[in-house]
Amino acid sequence: MNIINYHQIAERLDEAAFNAKATEQISNYRQLNIEEAYAVQAILIARRYIRGEKLTGLKLGFTSKAKMEQMGVHDMIWGRLTDGMLYKSGDELPKHRFIHPRAEPEIAFLFKKEVDKILHEEDMVSYLEGVAVAIEIIDSRYENFKFSLEDVIADNCSSSGYVIGQWHTPTTPIRDIGINLSVNGTVEQEGNSNAILGNPIESLTAISRLALEHGERIMPGHVVLAGAATSAIFIQKGQHIEAQAEGLGSVNLNVV
Ligand code: OOG
Ligand code: MG
C-alpha cells in the first residue's frame, strides 16, 4: 500500500501555492483528522520558514456565520501568517502570484507582550499595542476553492496575504462597529464587528487559548486577524480594494 504521508501532502500544498496552481482536495486521496490536518499545516509553514519567511502572527477563520455559510464549514480554525504574506496599504497585489484570490475585511490586533494566559477584555491594554482594520487575501490551494474542514486546516486556512491599516490604541472601540469592503469605490460587503463570535474581543480569547493549547507562541510584534465578519469576494486585476471600519479608518490594495 502506498499511503501518502504528511510531508508529501504539505509538499503538494506548498507547490500549489508557490506555482499558483490549484491541487485536488486531500480528502480525495487521504483521510485526515483535525489533529493530523494541523500537523500538515505545521510542516507546510516550516517549508516557508526554511525559505526564510518569518512568523508574523496568527489568524482565526470561520468566526462569523457569514463566512461559515459561504464556505460550508462550521468550526473555528486557526492558521499562521508570515512576512512573505504582508503588504503595505496602497501596494500592488500581483494577481498572477495567486490561484483564485479572495479579499475580506478583518480586524487586527498587534501584541506588545508575549501571551502567557487566556486573554479577556480587561487584558487588552496590557497585552496589546493596537487594533486596526485589515484586508486578508485568502487563496485556497484547492480546485474551485472547495474544501472540507480538514483540507482547509492543512492548507494553513487559505492564508496568502494581508495588509493592515493604521494602528489605533487598544482602547479604541471595536465592538459593534460597521466594517465593509469596497471595490473601485462601491461597497460590496458590509457587516458589523459583532458578527465575529458575538464581539471581536472573543477572538482574542479564542486565539490565546488555541495558541497555548498548540504550543504556538504569540510574541511582541505579532499580529492576529480576528476572522472576517462578512463573506469574502473574488478579486480581479485592475480593482482597487478597500476595507473600512468605523473609528479605525481604512486600508487598501491595488490588484494588478
Ligand atoms: C478559509 C479562511 C477563513 C476567515 O476570516 O474566516 C478566514 C477560507 O475561507 O478560505 O480567513
Ligand atoms: Mg480571514
Side-chain angles (χ1 to χ4, degrees):
M1 207 163 42
N2 186 14
I3 295 185
I4 184 163
N5 67 35
Y6 299 166
H7 283 275
Q8 290 166 315
I9 299 171
E11 183 178 10
R12 281 194 191 193
L13 291 169
D14 195 33
E15 286 184 353
F18 201 77
N19 300 324
K21 197 168 180 313
T23 183
E24 67 181 312
Q25 291 181 38
I26 302 165
S27 38
N28 287 356
Y29 56 87
R30 167 82 201 248
Q31 289 315 310
L32 291 180
N33 62 34
I34 305 279
E35 206 180 315
E36 292 173 314
Y38 278 111
V40 172
Q41 184 191 123
I43 299 170
L44 182 62
I45 201 78
R47 294 175 65 98
R48 286 181 177 258
Y49 299 156
I50 290 165
R51 288 198 292 273
E53 291 182 38
K54 300 268 181 298
L55 183 73
T56 50
L58 304 178
K59 63 168 270 184
L60 282 167
F62 305 130
T63 50
S64 71
K65 262 209 185 84
K67 280 291 301 181
M68 291 191 271
E69 276 163 17
Q70 182 180 34
M71 303 317 296
V73 172
H74 296 271
D75 280 301
M76 186 161 62
I77 57 177
W78 69 279
R80 279 114 167 163
L81 303 170
T82 72
D83 56 354
M85 304 175 189
L86 181 60
Y87 291 83
K88 291 192 302 294
S89 190
D91 270 359
E92 294 189 338
L93 184 85
K95 180 157 184 286
H96 72 269
R97 291 215 198 125
F98 302 88
I99 303 166
H100 35 210
R102 281 173 148 151
E104 56 191 18
E106 292 265 357
I107 288 173
F109 301 103
L110 175 64
F111 288 79
K112 64 178 179 196
K113 181 172 169 7
E114 179 176 355
V115 175
D116 49 7
K117 61 172 207 164
I118 297 177
L119 302 182
H120 298 283
E121 185 160 9
E122 61 271 23
D123 302 309
M124 287 178 75
V125 170
S126 46
Y127 283 80
L128 294 185
E129 183 72 40
V131 294
V133 63
I135 300 172
E136 185 182 11
I137 305 297
I138 49 174
D139 192 31
S140 176
R141 268 52 71 161
Y142 301 113
E143 288 158 357
N144 305 316
F145 222 114
K146 288 240 155 51
F147 44 69
S148 66
L149 178 63
E150 294 79 7
D151 287 327
V152 68
I153 291 169
D155 185 27
N156 194 25
C157 308
S158 310
S159 308
S160 68
Y162 70 103
V163 54
I164 295 176
Q166 240 179 359
W167 292 109
H168 290 65
T169 94
T171 51
T172 310
I174 55 168
R175 280 174 194 266
D176 195 20
I177 57 169
I179 181 162
N180 67 47
L181 190 76
S182 61
V183 177
N184 298 335
T186 305
V187 174
E188 298 263 333
Q189 289 292 336
E190 236 180 327
N192 181 287
S193 64
N194 283 2
I196 306 163
L197 299 173
N199 99 64
I201 298 156
E202 286 297 321
S203 62
L204 207 58
T205 303
I207 198 69
S208 52
R209 178 179 55 77
L210 288 164
L212 290 168
E213 273 172 23
H214 286 84
E216 185 65 87
R217 294 162 76 191
I218 301 176
M219 303 298 287
H222 278 176
V223 162
V224 163
L225 298 180
T230 69
S231 297
I233 55 161
F234 283 113
I235 54 176
Q236 311 297 341
K237 238 173 152 159
Q239 289 178 334
H240 177 76
I241 310 289
E242 184 171 281
Q244 272 189 321
E246 228 178 308
L248 295 177
S250 68
V251 60
N252 69 84
L253 283 173
N254 294 295
V255 190
V256 295

